[in-house]
Amino acid sequence: MLDTLSCLEKFAAAARQHADLAVQRVSFDDPAYVSVRNRFSSTLAETVTCSQDGGFITSWGYRLGSTDNIEDAAARLAFLLAALPA
């Protein structure tokens, strides 16, 4: 079984590598999620969950990537939030 909480912690760490992104919250409620925003915008923000099949999913249903490559999934989120590359 996939440890989604651990995967979300790793995703948050990968998102923090992008200078323009700020991890606002890592929540272990049900469902667990990570809230990330662009540091320079109050409106460019997203909530990401991790599905049981290992996919990182935005709040509007976009699949960012999988737990096989967390860094690429975080990079896709950075692109969506108009952040500069790591």
Side-chain angles (χ1 to χ4, degrees):
M1 177 178 250
L2 181 69
D3 182 2
T4 57
L5 300 180
S6 173
C7 292
L8 285 172
E9 287 178 331
K10 291 175 185 174
F11 182 86
R16 286 185 182 103
Q17 297 301 310
H18 295 268
D20 292 352
L21 294 184
V23 175
Q24 292 185 296
R25 183 171 185 198
V26 178
S27 173
F28 298 123
D29 293 336
D30 189 23
Y33 65 89
V34 176
S35 291
V36 182
R37 73 174 189 89
N38 183 310
R39 290 181 193 274
F40 304 103
S41 171
S42 61
T43 58
L44 291 172
E46 190 56 71
T47 301
V48 178
T49 59
C50 184
S51 64
Q52 282 299 318
D53 68 351
F56 293 106
I57 312 294
T58 65
S59 59
W60 45 276
Y62 180 77
R63 184 180 173 97
L64 295 168
S66 72
T67 56
D68 296 332
N69 195 336
I70 295 172
E71 291 77 19
D72 280 355
R76 283 186 195 90
L77 179 63
F79 177 79
L80 290 174
L81 297 180
L84 293 174

